[in-house]
Every structure is written in C-alpha cells, then in structure tokens.
Amino acid sequence: MFPSTSRDSGREPWADDPSTGPSGPARGYPPAPRTGPAEEEPAERRERKGPRRLRKGGPGRRSDDDADESPEEETPPVEFRRPLALTVAGFAALLGTGLVLGAQTAGPGHRLPFAVIIFGVQMLYVLAWTMAMRPPALLVVALVSAGAAALADVAAVQSDVAGLAPLGYAAVAGLVLGVLGQLVRRVDRVRVTDSLGGTLLIVVGVVAFASLIVLSRIPKGTQAITVCLTAAGVALLVARLTDAVAPWPRLAPQVPRGAAGVVVGAMLGTLTSAVLGSYLVGFTPTSAALVGVVTAATAVLADLAVGYAEAGRLMAGEAPTMWVARHMQGPLGGFALAAPAAYAMCVLFL
C-alpha cells in the first residue's frame, strides 16, 4: 500500500536542502497554478509595438505600422528633347506660311486654289489625329472625317451666302456617320461612348479649317487671315523655340513644356499682328493686336492641351503610335482652333 502522505510532508518550505525526489508536483495533488511575471511576459511581447532596438550585426526591425505602409512610386519627369522642339517649331512655321500664302491666292471667283490647300491641311489633320488618338473603327472615322472635310470645303465655296451654317451641317453629318460606323461593328460597340469625344475632335477640327474659306469671301477677310494666322504661326514657333532653349518653369513632370514659351509666344504673336496692322489696308495696330492676341493665345493653348492629352494617354497605359503623327498633332490643332477664332473676331470687331 502507498503511504497516505508524501514523503516530503513535514519538511519546512524554507529548507535549504534540495529535494531528492522528482521535480514535478507531488502525486495525488493537482499542479499548482503558475503565477508571476513568467506568464505575463509572452503577452507583453505580443502587445509590444514600435521600433525595436538595433540588433548587433544587422539593422533594426521596423514597427508593425511602418511595415504596412508601402513606399510611394515617383514617376520620373519626361526629359526635354531640343531637336524635337526645333522640328515641331519648323513644322508650325511651314504650316502657317502655307496657309497665309494660300489665302493670297483667293479672290472673287478664284477660291478653288485656296480650297485645295485647305483640303491638304485637313488630310494632314485627319492622319495625325486618328493615328494619335486611335479611336475604335479607325478607318471608318478617318474616311468619314475626310468626307466631312470635302463636304465642308464645297459648301464654303459654293454657298450663296458666306456663313458657318453649311459647315455646321457638315460637322453634324460627319459626327453621326462616324458614331454609326462604330456601332455597326460589335467589337467597337463597347467603346463607342469613350470614343465619342475623340470622333468629335477629329470631325470638328477638319471642318474648322473650312472657316478660312468662308472668311476669305467677306470684306477684309483675306487681310484678317493674314494677320491672325501670322500671329498664330509666330506664337507657335516662338513657344517651341523657347522650349528648346529655356524650358522653364516646367508646367508638369509628364509634359515637356515650359510656361515661358507659352507666355512669350503669345506676346510676340500679338506684337507681330500689331506691326502687320500698321501696313495692311483696313487695319490699325490696335485692331490688329486685338484680333492677333486672341488667335495667338488660342493657338498656343491648343498646342499645350494636345501635350497634356498625349501625356494622359501614356499614363493610362496606351502604347505610343506613329512618332511623326503625334508631334504634328499640336500645331495642326492650334491652327484648327485659331481658324474659327479668326472668323469670330473678324465678324464681331472689324
């Protein structure tokens, strides 16, 4: 039989001599609950937050809050390319010179040569903008835009009264046909809402050039074309040349343009129009500067907006297409917007 008491009974709890028995609890009795700092230590370790001490031979551990935060990605700014800026400046100068000289060939009953020049510029506009924006059913949009351009040119030359109403009808017809051409194809039907803005810009842009033909049919129209398009061409040329020399202050990291070029270009374009106004019949330096500042500012701002649109497409993940078309887009868009602005200024203030 086992003894009723343990062999350790009767020993004083403060005895110095160690027990000769096993280190576990006595038989017949449940283990005593463990109390003291040994039980609380793991909980304190789990609740412990904040930066750790530096470990010997290695870096310190980050806190839990710092580990959850991911570092922000910084997009490197787009570099300025001087040869590209000079090339675009030369193209803007050639385009403005061709339009101004073409306007001098227009006369009563002889507007067909100017219409041919305008149609050639419109085809450049269609090529550049369709290849840069790449809307759904690209070929359909390009063909419809070319047809709208031809229809607008014929209406501008053959209409009995010189006005913008026939051009508006051509623009609406081109836009409707372009959207219907995208709805026919099932693949492009999903993106038709997104591409409506791009189709509108292409169709309205080509029709806007035809307003120069209408402007050449009204009194002082040819002189107004000379003043306005010269101001726009000088503004675009100076803006791009300034970007090639001093592209500061930078407007956005993703857009390789400087604010100095936009401001200086608009100012010199206005000055050029004022100088021309002192030599042309029917103009004064004040009236020429008034119409010149509107067209010059319109042209440089449209060119700048094209740069922002291109940067937005690249940031959205779209692959860049056709290097030449993308960089022709800015000057063509500037002159396309300056043409109806010149017509409005001539009709309202001259």
Side-chain angles (χ1 to χ4, degrees), residues 40 68 82 131 135 226 238 283 313 335 338 344:
E40 298 177 357
D68 296 339
R82 182 174 299 178
M131 294 305 299
T226 302
V238 173
F283 278 89
R313 287 193 294 269
F335 280 108

Side-chain angles (χ1 to χ4, degrees), residues 44 123 135 178 194 231:
E44 292 180 358
M123 292 302 99
D194 300 334

Side-chain angles (χ1 to χ4, degrees), residues 284-340:
T284 62
T286 303
S287 61
L290 179 63
V291 298
V293 67
V294 174
T295 52
T298 300
V300 293
L301 290 179
D303 185 21
L304 182 63
V306 169
Y308 274 93
E310 177 65 21
R313 287 193 294 269
L314 293 179
M315 292 178 64
E318 298 183 12
T321 58
M322 203 169 180
W323 181 88
V324 178
R326 287 187 290 114
H327 298 296
M328 289 169 56
Q329 193 181 4
L332 287 168
F335 280 108
L337 197 58

Side-chain angles (χ1 to χ4, degrees), residues 36-273:
E39 183 180 359
E40 298 177 357
E41 184 177 358
E44 292 180 358
R45 289 180 181 177
R46 287 194 299 268
E47 295 177 357
R48 182 178 180 181
K49 291 184 179 180
R52 302 289 185 90
R53 295 181 180 179
L54 284 174
R55 295 179 296 174
K56 187 175 181 181
R61 296 179 181 177
R62 295 185 301 174
S63 62
D64 297 338
D65 297 337
D66 295 339
D68 296 339
E69 297 178 358
S70 58
E72 297 181 357
E73 297 181 0
E74 296 183 358
T75 305
V78 179
E79 62 176 355
F80 288 96
R81 290 182 287 179
R82 182 174 299 178
L84 176 60
L86 295 176
T87 303
V88 177
F91 174 72
L94 289 176
L95 184 60
T97 303
L99 290 173
V100 171
L101 293 180
Q104 306 305 317
T105 63
H110 297 85
R111 293 184 177 87
L112 185 59
F114 187 39
V116 172
I117 295 174
I118 293 296
F119 185 73
V121 176
Q122 288 169 328
M123 292 302 99
L124 284 177
Y125 184 93
V126 171
L127 173 65
W129 280 72
T130 51
M131 294 305 299
M133 302 186 70
R134 300 193 66 83
L138 186 146
L139 184 59
V140 174
V141 174
L143 293 177
V144 169
S145 301
L151 182 61
D153 294 343
V154 172
V157 174
Q158 299 294 332
S159 60
D160 297 331
V161 180
L164 297 182
L167 307 187
Y169 299 147
V172 172
L175 179 62
V176 171
L177 290 177
V179 174
L180 290 178
Q182 297 173 12
L183 289 175
V184 170
R185 300 182 58 184
R186 182 177 301 178
V187 178
D188 302 325
R189 196 178 303 166
V190 180
R191 296 179 54 198
V192 67
T193 304
D194 300 334
S195 66
L196 181 61
T199 306
L200 180 65
L201 286 176
I202 297 172
V203 173
V204 173
V206 295
V207 174
F209 278 106
S211 62
L212 295 175
I213 304 175
V214 179
L215 184 58
S216 66
R217 297 180 55 184
I218 65 178
K220 299 182 182 179
T222 303
Q223 291 88 342
I225 293 175
T226 302
V227 172
C228 295
L229 294 190
T230 301
V234 170
L236 292 173
L237 173 64
V238 173
R240 292 290 185 166
L241 290 178
T242 306
D243 288 340
V245 177
W248 57 268
R250 185 153 187 163
L251 294 173
Q254 295 80 17
V255 181
R257 300 295 304 273
V262 176
V263 176
V264 174
M267 292 175 62
L268 290 183
T270 305
L271 178 62
T272 304
S273 64

